[in-house]
Amino acid sequence: MADRDPEIAGKLGEDRSEGISWAELMAQDSRTPPAILTDESYTYRGSEAIPAERYTSEAFAKLERERMWPYVWQFVAREEDLPDPGDFIVYENAGRSYLVSRQDDGSIRAMHNVCLHRGRKLRTEEGAADKFVCPFHGFAWKKDGSFDSMPCQWDFPHLAEKDLDLPAAEVGRWSGYVFIREESGGPSLEEFLAPLPEHFKRWRHEECASVMRVAKEVPANWKVVMEAFMEAWHTIVTHPQLLPFTGDSNAAYWTWGDNVNVNLVPFGVMSPHIAEGQGEQWIVDEFIKYNGRSGDNYEGEAHTNPMAIKVPEGMTARAALGAAMRAAYTESTGYDHADATDAELLDGLVYNVFPNFAPWGGYMPNIVYNWLPGKTPDTCIMEVRILARIPKGQPIPRGAPLKMLRLDQKWTEAPELGILGDVFEQDMDNLPYVQDGLHASKNGKVNLGNYQEIRIRQFQDTMMKYINGDLGGDLGGAPKA
């Protein structure tokens, strides 16, 4: 076995796919790439199998709810989702419900969405309100969570008003994103996200707005679904239409600390799994047909797509696409993109922040994923939003409303997703059967690759630090899981 051979064991994690590497692509870029795209950060984390019960067991899901979720920063909204005083959203996850509300001074507060009288949820949908009045008996709270009033107060002499404020959650804000943490203490949001804020300075997500939001219930564990989006090499079989323009196995996989990782997926190059291509123009033609972030999905008909170009003789598809998008983004946004690399204009720079937040970097319309556990370990909610850069000098508009798809609906029933809906449906063809297979597994193990699935390994390692009490609350020597 490889793990028992000292010569092989010392090199685990060093193997890479044949074909051009990410580092070689960066060396060929038409602009000088920043260090965030060239400084590799990979650490081998072992080759042990992951127990299947982490995806199927209600007992394990209970440990997540008790030992992990209360202590991590959770992405709940974008600033444009609640732009005006009184705007609020309802965020629900892992057995908790929160009201996240914009205050008169522009700050944002979060409080538990439960009446302190008989326990009714105060709100079930987002909206705008200066008071949260319980629809059951009329107990009321101001939008900052402080107690306001109640009917028949004479009958509650045992309740002191100072004790009736709604329990609060911590709020953190970064680059247009809003986070909450149930239990106070621990790392600040900036510390938790590091090095993400440094990387995203170039891409200025605070200048973007949510132009599309779609969520769907999925019949698989939230980690099963999330991990399907943490590596690119499933493209070989699951998304074969993407291979002409996707360097799936040429992608880079880097991790930092406990919380942050990235998958750098090159576009505008052929997959190494294609033996013979049909030239540089073919790469472009396939790219504009099947790339889910193309301008035609969000900005009009395909004939206006700035990616629909003819590749000049002697130029690569990647360089030609980069030049076209550099000019198009400069014109459409009013921001100078002269120094933007081909990678930042084309590629899937797919970051993940523990446990469930995944913003794409770069300058294209940016995808943001997040995943929430369902009512059982066998279901979850996956949300997809698209950010677009707002032209220079224009105000940030209110974010697009959420479209929620039921379990029995398909992603393609949200036509605003464009070709992304078809790509997600290809993923859905796998995920319910992954969940079924994990329940049926004879050996109860999940085996991971050393390099292409290192992000999954990092996520699992960090999760177990919370479950085992090495991170999070004081669990008094929690048993090892």
Side-chain angles (χ1 to χ4, degrees):
M1 296 293 291
D3 289 324
R4 298 177 185 174
D5 184 329
E7 290 190 12
I8 296 177
K11 298 181 180 180
L12 289 173
E14 294 184 4
D15 290 337
R16 299 291 184 272
S17 172
E18 294 182 1
I20 191 167
S21 70
W22 176 260
E24 290 167 334
L25 277 170
M26 292 304 96
Q28 296 177 9
D29 204 285
S30 60
R31 299 293 186 272
T32 301
I36 59 174
L37 296 179
T38 59
D39 291 353
E40 181 175 2
S41 183
Y42 169 84
T43 302
Y44 173 65
R45 289 174 169 263
S47 303
E48 295 77 16
I50 303 299
E53 66 180 358
R54 293 184 189 175
Y55 305 91
T56 61
S57 164
E58 171 54 35
F60 192 85
K62 184 172 183 289
L63 291 175
E64 292 176 8
R65 292 192 295 270
E66 293 175 350
R67 299 182 181 179
M68 185 192 75
W69 286 111
Y71 304 101
V72 297
W73 285 103
Q74 302 176 46
F75 166 59
V76 298
R78 287 273 305 174
E79 297 271 0
E80 66 269 17
D81 295 338
L82 52 166
D84 299 323
D87 287 344
F88 69 90
I89 59 116
V90 176
Y91 172 72
E92 296 189 316
N93 182 35
R96 299 293 192 209
S97 182
Y98 304 89
L99 294 166
V100 182
S101 173
R102 179 77 70 177
Q103 305 300 301
D104 291 334
D105 63 359
S107 65
I108 296 176
R109 293 182 59 85
M111 66 248 19
H112 288 255
N113 179 31
V114 176
C115 179
L116 299 182
H117 172 218
R118 296 269 288 275
R120 192 199 192 278
K121 288 182 180 178
L122 296 171
R123 292 290 186 273
T124 58
E125 297 179 344
E126 63 185 47
D130 285 328
K131 288 184 183 180
F132 298 113
V133 181
C134 180
F136 196 0
H137 293 91
F139 276 59
W141 286 267
K142 300 180 180 68
K143 62 175 175 281
D144 65 358
S146 61
F147 178 70
D148 182 76
S149 61
M150 62 172 137
C152 298
Q153 190 163 357
W154 56 264
D155 204 21
F156 296 87
H158 48 292
L159 297 183
E161 287 192 17
K162 65 180 180 65
D163 298 326
L164 286 176
D165 293 349
L166 294 174
E170 277 191 290
V171 174
R173 299 157 71 181
W174 163 74
S175 199
Y177 296 94
V178 181
F179 297 78
I180 68 168
R181 179 167 57 187
E182 179 180 343
E183 297 293 339
S184 61
S188 67
L189 177 61
E190 291 73 19
E191 292 168 337
F192 193 87
L193 294 176
L196 198 75
E198 184 63 30
H199 288 210
F200 276 64
K201 277 183 181 179
R202 286 176 62 87
W203 306 318
R204 306 184 308 277
H205 278 204
E206 66 275 8
E207 298 169 359
C208 300
S210 302
V211 296
M212 182 191 314
R213 288 178 64 200
V214 181
K216 176 174 164 31
E217 189 176 5
V218 180
N221 186 267
W222 70 279
K223 299 182 293 296
V224 165
V225 180
M226 180 179 71
E227 290 172 1
F229 291 82
M230 293 178 77
E231 44 83 8
W233 73 284
H234 69 277
T235 302
I236 304 169
V237 176
T238 302
H239 310 300
Q241 78 278 13
L242 308 184
L243 294 177
F245 59 86
T246 304
D248 55 332
S249 295
N250 303 129
Y253 296 85
W254 299 343
T255 65
W256 297 272
D258 287 326
N259 296 333
V260 180
N261 58 58
V262 71
N263 180 193
L264 305 168
V265 187
F267 291 144
V269 295
M270 286 192 308
S271 166
H273 302 289
I274 293 182
E276 293 185 16
Q278 301 176 37
E280 298 299 309
Q281 186 62 49
W282 177 66
I283 294 174
V284 170
D285 294 343
E286 295 301 295
F287 189 55
I288 62 176
K289 281 195 292 187
Y290 296 116
N291 169 40
R293 298 163 76 207
S294 293
D296 60 298
N297 284 304
Y298 317 117
E299 300 169 4
E301 299 301 320
H303 70 272
T304 66
N305 184 353
M307 292 182 177
I309 61 170
K310 295 296 183 183
V311 180
E313 177 129 9
M315 199 173 196
T316 66
R318 184 174 170 85
L321 284 165
M325 297 317 299
R326 194 173 291 111
Y329 288 146
T330 297
E331 181 181 0
S332 65
T333 68
Y335 290 99
D336 184 4
H337 287 77
D339 293 333
T341 63
D342 300 335
E344 294 168 298
L345 296 163
L346 300 175
D347 294 343
L349 312 180
V350 190
Y351 286 76
N352 274 66
V353 176
F354 186 86
N356 65 331
F357 170 55
W360 287 41
Y363 293 109
M364 284 193 72
N366 295 87
I367 300 172
V368 181
Y369 301 127
N370 66 299
W371 301 267
L372 299 173
K375 293 182 178 179
T376 76
D378 296 324
T379 63
C380 73
I381 299 294
M382 175 175 170
E383 181 179 331
V384 181
R385 64 170 76 208
I386 303 292
L387 302 186
R389 194 166 306 279
I390 303 306
K392 191 174 184 178
Q394 293 188 15
I396 302 294
R398 181 178 289 271
L402 175 68
K403 173 180 283 188
M404 185 70 200
L405 300 175
R406 301 183 308 272
L407 190 65
D408 62 335
Q409 291 181 289
K410 294 182 178 295
W411 287 101
T412 49
E413 293 182 52
E416 58 266 45
L417 285 172
I419 199 67
L420 275 180
D422 298 277
V423 175
F424 292 157
E425 277 306 307
Q426 290 177 316
D427 291 305
M428 297 304 115
D429 286 343
N430 291 322
L431 300 178
Y433 298 106
V434 172
Q435 191 67 22
D436 288 348
L438 291 168
H439 277 286
S441 174
K442 173 67 173 178
N443 67 10
K445 296 179 180 180
V446 174
N447 289 298
L448 300 175
N450 291 330
Y451 182 68
Q452 294 180 104
E453 291 167 333
I454 192 63
R455 304 169 76 208
I456 300 173
R457 179 78 63 184
Q458 182 211 36
F459 165 78
Q460 291 283 334
D461 287 350
T462 301
M463 179 177 65
M464 293 314 300
K465 289 182 180 180
Y466 282 94
I467 298 301
N468 292 332
D470 301 316
L471 292 173
D474 181 7
L475 300 176
K480 301 297 180 182

